[in-house]
Amino acid sequence: MGPAGSGKSTYCATIMTHCQAAGRKVHLVNLDPAAEHFEYEPTIDIRELITLEDVMEELDYGPNGGLIYCLEFLLNNVDWLEEEIGTYDDDYLIFDCPGQIELYTHFPIMKRLCETLNRLNMNVCGVYCLESQFIEDKSKYFSGVLSAMSAMVNLEIPHINDDEDDGDNEDDAETAAQKKRRRQRRRRRMMEKAMSDRELERYLEPDPLLIAEDAETLMNEEEQSPMSLKFQALNQAIVHLIDDYSMVRFIPLNITDEDSVEYVLSHVDNSMQYGEDLEPKEPEDSAE
Protein backbone atom coordinates (compact mmCIF):
# COMPACT_ATOMS: atom_id res chain seq x y z
CA MET A 1 0.00 0.00 0.00
CA GLY A 2 0.96 3.63 -0.26
CA PRO A 3 0.22 6.74 -2.31
CA ALA A 4 -0.25 6.58 -6.07
CA GLY A 5 3.04 6.13 -7.94
CA SER A 6 4.98 5.03 -4.86
CA GLY A 7 6.06 1.72 -6.43
CA LYS A 8 3.50 -0.71 -4.98
CA SER A 9 3.15 -2.80 -8.15
CA THR A 10 6.92 -2.69 -8.66
CA TYR A 11 7.39 -3.97 -5.11
CA CYS A 12 4.88 -6.79 -5.71
CA ALA A 13 6.60 -7.85 -8.94
CA THR A 14 10.03 -7.75 -7.24
CA ILE A 15 8.88 -9.93 -4.33
CA MET A 16 7.10 -12.31 -6.73
CA THR A 17 10.31 -12.80 -8.71
CA HIS A 18 12.39 -13.27 -5.57
CA CYS A 19 9.98 -15.78 -3.98
CA GLN A 20 9.64 -17.83 -7.15
CA ALA A 21 13.43 -18.00 -7.49
CA ALA A 22 13.56 -19.29 -3.90
CA GLY A 23 10.96 -21.98 -4.63
CA ARG A 24 8.23 -20.39 -2.51
CA LYS A 25 4.61 -20.82 -3.60
CA VAL A 26 3.46 -17.25 -4.14
CA HIS A 27 0.41 -15.67 -5.76
CA LEU A 28 -0.55 -12.11 -6.66
CA VAL A 29 -3.93 -10.78 -5.53
CA ASN A 30 -5.10 -7.62 -7.28
CA LEU A 31 -7.40 -5.37 -5.24
CA ASP A 32 -7.24 -2.42 -7.63
CA PRO A 33 -10.41 -2.36 -9.78
CA ALA A 34 -8.79 0.23 -12.08
CA ALA A 35 -5.53 -1.65 -12.72
CA GLU A 36 -4.56 -2.31 -16.32
CA HIS A 37 -1.09 -3.82 -16.58
CA PHE A 38 0.76 -6.36 -14.45
CA GLU A 39 4.18 -7.92 -14.81
CA TYR A 40 2.63 -11.05 -13.28
CA GLU A 41 -0.92 -12.11 -14.05
CA PRO A 42 -2.98 -11.96 -10.81
CA THR A 43 -4.18 -15.30 -9.47
CA ILE A 44 -7.08 -13.54 -7.75
CA ASP A 45 -8.42 -10.36 -9.38
CA ILE A 46 -11.11 -8.02 -8.07
CA ARG A 47 -11.85 -7.07 -11.68
CA GLU A 48 -13.53 -10.44 -12.08
CA LEU A 49 -16.04 -9.24 -9.50
CA ILE A 50 -16.29 -5.53 -10.29
CA THR A 51 -14.38 -2.87 -12.26
CA LEU A 52 -14.04 0.86 -11.74
CA GLU A 53 -14.95 1.52 -15.37
CA ASP A 54 -18.33 -0.21 -14.98
CA VAL A 55 -19.11 1.65 -11.75
CA MET A 56 -18.27 5.04 -13.27
CA GLU A 57 -20.36 4.29 -16.35
CA GLU A 58 -23.41 2.81 -14.62
CA LEU A 59 -23.55 4.93 -11.45
CA ASP A 60 -21.97 8.12 -12.83
CA TYR A 61 -19.36 8.18 -10.05
CA GLY A 62 -16.00 9.88 -10.24
CA PRO A 63 -12.80 7.83 -9.96
CA ASN A 64 -12.36 8.34 -6.21
CA GLY A 65 -15.96 7.64 -5.26
CA GLY A 66 -16.06 4.74 -7.71
CA LEU A 67 -12.97 3.16 -6.17
CA ILE A 68 -14.45 3.35 -2.68
CA TYR A 69 -17.70 1.83 -4.01
CA CYS A 70 -15.75 -1.07 -5.57
CA LEU A 71 -13.94 -1.90 -2.33
CA GLU A 72 -17.17 -1.68 -0.32
CA PHE A 73 -18.81 -3.96 -2.89
CA LEU A 74 -15.97 -6.44 -2.33
CA LEU A 75 -16.58 -6.40 1.43
CA ASN A 76 -20.31 -6.87 0.92
CA ASN A 77 -19.48 -9.90 -1.21
CA VAL A 78 -16.55 -11.12 0.83
CA ASP A 79 -17.66 -14.73 0.37
CA TRP A 80 -16.32 -14.42 -3.20
CA LEU A 81 -12.89 -13.50 -1.86
CA GLU A 82 -13.00 -16.26 0.75
CA GLU A 83 -13.81 -18.82 -1.92
CA GLU A 84 -10.99 -17.58 -4.15
CA ILE A 85 -8.46 -17.63 -1.29
CA GLY A 86 -9.56 -21.05 -0.05
CA THR A 87 -7.54 -22.81 -2.72
CA TYR A 88 -4.32 -21.05 -1.67
CA ASP A 89 -4.69 -20.86 2.11
CA ASP A 90 -1.24 -22.43 2.68
CA ASP A 91 0.53 -20.29 0.07
CA TYR A 92 2.12 -16.83 0.20
CA LEU A 93 -0.30 -14.19 -1.07
CA ILE A 94 0.79 -10.69 -2.10
CA PHE A 95 -2.05 -8.15 -2.22
CA ASP A 96 -1.51 -5.28 -4.67
CA CYS A 97 -3.75 -2.53 -3.30
CA PRO A 98 -5.12 0.71 -4.81
CA GLY A 99 -3.20 3.97 -4.48
CA GLN A 100 -6.01 5.99 -2.89
CA ILE A 101 -4.47 6.81 0.47
CA GLU A 102 -7.84 7.49 2.12
CA LEU A 103 -8.57 3.75 2.01
CA TYR A 104 -5.85 3.20 4.63
CA THR A 105 -6.06 6.38 6.67
CA HIS A 106 -9.69 7.55 6.71
CA PHE A 107 -12.06 4.71 5.80
CA PRO A 108 -12.39 1.38 7.65
CA ILE A 109 -12.48 -0.57 4.37
CA MET A 110 -8.95 -1.97 4.43
CA LYS A 111 -9.14 -2.60 8.17
CA ARG A 112 -12.28 -4.71 7.65
CA LEU A 113 -10.50 -6.58 4.88
CA CYS A 114 -7.56 -7.33 7.18
CA GLU A 115 -9.99 -8.55 9.85
CA THR A 116 -11.56 -10.86 7.27
CA LEU A 117 -8.15 -12.32 6.40
CA ASN A 118 -7.36 -12.82 10.09
CA ARG A 119 -10.69 -14.60 10.50
CA LEU A 120 -9.53 -16.99 7.78
CA ASN A 121 -6.49 -17.78 9.98
CA MET A 122 -4.15 -15.86 7.69
CA ASN A 123 -1.21 -13.91 9.09
CA VAL A 124 -1.20 -10.41 7.65
CA CYS A 125 1.56 -7.82 7.33
CA GLY A 126 1.11 -4.38 5.79
CA VAL A 127 3.92 -2.96 3.63
CA TYR A 128 3.75 0.78 3.13
CA CYS A 129 5.79 1.94 0.13
CA LEU A 130 7.28 5.41 -0.10
CA GLU A 131 9.43 6.38 -3.06
CA SER A 132 12.95 7.45 -2.23
CA GLN A 133 12.61 10.81 -4.00
CA PHE A 134 10.42 11.99 -1.10
CA ILE A 135 13.67 12.65 0.75
CA GLU A 136 14.40 15.53 -1.63
CA ASP A 137 11.54 17.56 -0.15
CA LYS A 138 11.25 17.53 3.64
CA SER A 139 7.61 18.66 3.60
CA LYS A 140 6.70 15.91 1.15
CA TYR A 141 8.71 13.40 3.15
CA PHE A 142 6.89 14.21 6.37
CA SER A 143 3.51 14.03 4.66
CA GLY A 144 4.53 10.47 3.76
CA VAL A 145 5.58 9.81 7.35
CA LEU A 146 2.23 11.05 8.67
CA SER A 147 0.22 9.00 6.17
CA ALA A 148 2.28 5.89 7.01
CA MET A 149 1.70 6.46 10.71
CA SER A 150 -2.02 7.01 10.13
CA ALA A 151 -2.23 3.73 8.21
CA MET A 152 -0.42 1.90 11.01
CA VAL A 153 -2.80 3.26 13.64
CA ASN A 154 -5.90 2.62 11.52
CA LEU A 155 -5.14 -0.92 10.30
CA GLU A 156 -3.74 -2.31 13.56
CA ILE A 157 -1.66 -5.03 11.88
CA PRO A 158 2.08 -5.82 11.77
CA HIS A 159 3.53 -3.16 9.55
CA ILE A 160 6.69 -2.52 7.50
CA ASN A 161 7.54 0.82 5.89
CA ASP A 162 9.89 0.67 2.94
CA ASP A 163 11.81 3.47 1.27
CA GLU A 164 11.95 2.22 -2.31
CA ASP A 165 14.54 2.92 -4.97
CA ASP A 166 13.97 1.17 -8.30
CA GLY A 167 17.42 1.78 -9.72
CA ASP A 168 18.19 3.83 -12.80
CA ASN A 169 17.14 1.64 -15.72
CA GLU A 170 16.69 3.62 -18.91
CA ASP A 171 14.05 2.75 -21.49
CA ASP A 172 13.69 4.33 -24.91
CA ALA A 173 9.92 3.96 -24.65
CA GLU A 174 9.57 5.69 -21.28
CA THR A 175 7.36 8.76 -21.05
CA ALA A 176 8.47 12.28 -20.19
CA ALA A 177 7.06 11.82 -16.68
CA GLN A 178 9.05 8.61 -16.23
CA LYS A 179 12.22 10.33 -17.44
CA LYS A 180 11.62 13.14 -14.97
CA ARG A 181 11.19 10.65 -12.16
CA ARG A 182 14.38 8.86 -13.22
CA ARG A 183 16.30 12.15 -13.12
CA GLN A 184 14.85 12.85 -9.69
CA ARG A 185 15.98 9.43 -8.48
CA ARG A 186 19.48 10.10 -9.85
CA ARG A 187 19.60 13.41 -8.00
CA ARG A 188 18.42 11.64 -4.87
CA ARG A 189 21.23 9.09 -5.11
CA MET A 190 23.78 11.85 -5.65
CA MET A 191 22.41 13.60 -2.59
CA GLU A 192 22.46 10.32 -0.69
CA LYS A 193 26.13 9.81 -1.48
CA ALA A 194 26.85 13.26 -0.11
CA MET A 195 24.99 12.44 3.08
CA SER A 196 26.76 10.93 6.01
CA ASP A 197 25.33 7.72 7.45
CA ARG A 198 24.07 9.71 10.41
CA GLU A 199 22.21 12.18 8.19
CA LEU A 200 20.58 9.40 6.15
CA GLU A 201 19.55 7.64 9.35
CA ARG A 202 17.52 10.74 10.24
CA TYR A 203 15.29 9.93 7.26
CA LEU A 204 15.12 6.17 7.71
CA GLU A 205 14.17 6.66 11.35
CA PRO A 206 12.27 9.95 10.97
CA ASP A 207 13.82 12.72 13.00
CA PRO A 208 11.04 15.25 13.65
CA LEU A 209 13.64 17.98 14.09
CA LEU A 210 14.23 17.88 10.33
CA ILE A 211 10.96 19.71 9.66
CA ALA A 212 11.56 22.05 12.58
CA GLU A 213 14.98 22.97 11.20
CA ASP A 214 13.49 23.50 7.73
CA ALA A 215 10.76 25.74 9.14
CA GLU A 216 13.28 27.73 11.15
CA THR A 217 15.37 28.34 8.02
CA LEU A 218 12.32 29.68 6.18
CA MET A 219 11.44 31.86 9.14
CA ASN A 220 14.91 33.40 9.10
CA GLU A 221 14.67 34.10 5.37
CA GLU A 222 11.22 35.69 5.48
CA GLU A 223 9.62 38.38 7.52
CA GLN A 224 7.46 36.99 10.29
CA SER A 225 3.76 37.42 9.64
CA PRO A 226 0.64 36.11 11.40
CA MET A 227 0.36 33.42 8.71
CA SER A 228 3.98 32.31 9.05
CA LEU A 229 3.59 32.13 12.83
CA LYS A 230 0.57 29.86 12.36
CA PHE A 231 2.58 27.58 10.09
CA GLN A 232 5.36 27.53 12.65
CA ALA A 233 2.86 26.38 15.28
CA LEU A 234 1.57 23.71 12.88
CA ASN A 235 5.09 22.45 12.24
CA GLN A 236 5.73 22.24 15.97
CA ALA A 237 2.50 20.27 16.41
CA ILE A 238 3.60 17.83 13.69
CA VAL A 239 6.99 17.47 15.37
CA HIS A 240 5.37 16.59 18.70
CA LEU A 241 2.91 14.18 17.06
CA ILE A 242 5.65 12.19 15.30
CA ASP A 243 7.84 12.24 18.38
CA ASP A 244 5.04 11.14 20.73
CA TYR A 245 3.99 8.14 18.60
CA SER A 246 7.56 7.18 17.59
CA MET A 247 6.18 4.38 15.38
CA VAL A 248 7.50 4.94 11.86
CA ARG A 249 10.82 3.61 10.61
CA PHE A 250 11.76 2.96 6.99
CA ILE A 251 13.69 0.01 5.62
CA PRO A 252 15.67 0.94 2.48
CA LEU A 253 14.86 -1.22 -0.56
CA ASN A 254 16.85 -1.34 -3.78
CA ILE A 255 14.90 -3.61 -6.14
CA THR A 256 18.02 -4.26 -8.24
CA ASP A 257 19.89 -5.67 -5.22
CA GLU A 258 18.96 -9.25 -4.23
CA ASP A 259 20.39 -8.80 -0.73
CA SER A 260 18.26 -5.70 -0.21
CA VAL A 261 15.11 -7.52 -1.38
CA GLU A 262 15.87 -10.50 0.89
CA TYR A 263 16.46 -8.14 3.82
CA VAL A 264 13.03 -6.50 3.41
CA LEU A 265 11.30 -9.85 2.85
CA SER A 266 12.89 -11.28 6.00
CA HIS A 267 11.38 -8.43 8.02
CA VAL A 268 7.96 -9.10 6.51
CA ASP A 269 8.26 -12.85 7.19
CA ASN A 270 9.36 -12.24 10.76
CA SER A 271 6.58 -9.74 11.49
CA MET A 272 3.84 -12.20 10.53
CA GLN A 273 5.71 -15.34 11.64
CA TYR A 274 5.65 -16.81 8.16
CA GLY A 275 6.62 -20.47 7.95
CA GLU A 276 6.29 -21.29 11.64
CA ASP A 277 3.07 -23.27 11.17
CA LEU A 278 3.90 -24.85 7.81
CA GLU A 279 4.12 -28.61 7.63
CA PRO A 280 7.58 -29.89 6.68
CA LYS A 281 7.73 -30.98 3.07
CA GLU A 282 8.50 -34.59 2.31
CA PRO A 283 11.48 -35.04 0.00
CA GLU A 284 10.65 -36.08 -3.52
CA ASP A 285 11.64 -39.58 -4.59
CA SER A 286 14.86 -39.48 -6.48
CA ALA A 287 14.84 -40.84 -10.01
CA GLU A 288 16.29 -44.30 -10.30
Side-chain angles (χ1 to χ4, degrees):
M1 56 185 160
S6 61
K8 298 182 295 298
S9 296
T10 302
Y11 170 86
C12 292
T14 301
I15 298 299
M16 287 280 293
T17 301
H18 187 84
C19 289
Q20 289 181 350
R24 183 183 297 189
K25 290 184 177 180
V26 59
H27 305 278
L28 180 64
V29 180
N30 173 43
L31 292 185
D32 187 354
E36 296 180 353
H37 305 291
F38 292 96
E39 186 171 335
Y40 289 90
E41 190 67 24
T43 303
I44 302 173
D45 195 341
I46 190 178
R47 295 175 300 177
E48 297 177 2
L49 178 69
I50 188 171
T51 67
L52 178 60
E53 183 180 0
D54 290 341
V55 170
M56 293 176 63
E57 181 178 342
E58 295 179 14
L59 300 179
D60 199 26
Y61 281 3
N64 291 337
L67 186 57
I68 293 172
Y69 180 90
C70 289
L71 270 296
E72 289 180 338
F73 186 85
L74 172 65
L75 290 176
N76 292 333
N77 296 272
V78 75
D79 54 330
W80 172 85
L81 182 61
E82 293 179 6
E83 183 178 345
E84 293 288 320
I85 289 177
T87 312
Y88 311 104
D89 54 358
D90 288 331
D91 296 344
Y92 198 93
L93 302 181
I94 300 176
F95 288 77
D96 192 356
C97 300
Q100 189 173 2
I101 198 64
E102 295 92 330
L103 294 171
Y104 318 104
T105 60
H106 292 72
F107 295 96
I109 295 174
M110 300 307 291
K111 181 179 181 180
R112 288 171 55 194
L113 177 62
C114 292
E115 291 171 348
T116 298
L117 296 176
N118 285 327
R119 183 165 49 82
L120 296 175
N121 295 320
M122 301 186 72
N123 296 332
V124 181
C125 174
V127 179
Y128 192 96
C129 299
L130 197 68
E131 196 173 25
S132 58
Q133 69 176 32
F134 274 53
I135 292 179
E136 295 181 5
D137 185 333
K138 291 180 181 178
S139 298
K140 189 176 181 181
Y141 165 75
F142 275 100
S143 71
V145 171
L146 289 173
S147 60
M149 184 172 68
S150 181
M152 295 174 74
V153 172
N154 188 40
L155 297 181
E156 297 180 325
I157 58 174
H159 199 102
I160 301 294
N161 300 297
D162 104 62
D163 181 15
E164 186 173 329
D165 186 355
D166 60 359
D168 193 25
N169 298 323
E170 297 192 23
D171 185 350
D172 292 338
E174 65 183 350
T175 65
Q178 290 172 328
K179 290 181 179 179
K180 180 180 179 181
R181 289 176 61 189
R182 177 164 52 80
R183 288 195 296 269
Q184 289 174 331
R185 288 192 293 269
R186 185 183 292 119
R187 287 199 304 271
R188 186 263 180 182
R189 280 190 294 277
M190 292 174 63
M191 178 183 68
E192 193 173 291
K193 289 180 181 178
M195 281 184 175
S196 66
D197 291 340
R198 179 175 296 181
E199 288 174 324
L200 184 58
E201 188 65 24
R202 296 181 73 188
Y203 287 92
L204 295 178
E205 188 160 357
D207 182 355
L209 292 180
L210 283 169
I211 193 172
E213 293 170 359
D214 196 41
E216 184 177 350
T217 300
L218 290 175
M219 290 290 293
N220 292 334
E221 293 177 354
E222 301 176 359
E223 294 183 5
Q224 292 193 5
S225 64
M227 183 62 69
S228 63
L229 291 175
K230 288 183 179 180
F231 278 120
Q232 185 181 29
L234 175 61
N235 287 331
Q236 290 297 328
I238 293 174
V239 166
H240 290 304
L241 181 66
I242 295 173
D243 193 44
D244 288 344
Y245 274 86
S246 190
M247 294 173 62
V248 180
R249 191 187 192 287
F250 290 98
I251 300 175
L253 170 62
N254 181 352
I255 67 172
T256 62
D257 184 347
E258 286 295 321
D259 291 336
S260 177
V261 175
E262 176 61 32
Y263 181 71
V264 171
L265 184 59
S266 66
H267 276 75
V268 175
D269 288 346
N270 183 63
S271 67
M272 63 179 182
Q273 300 176 314
Y274 174 78
E276 293 188 5
D277 57 351
L278 293 180
E279 294 291 336
K281 297 180 180 179
E282 296 183 3
E284 298 180 358
D285 294 335
S286 58
E288 294 183 0

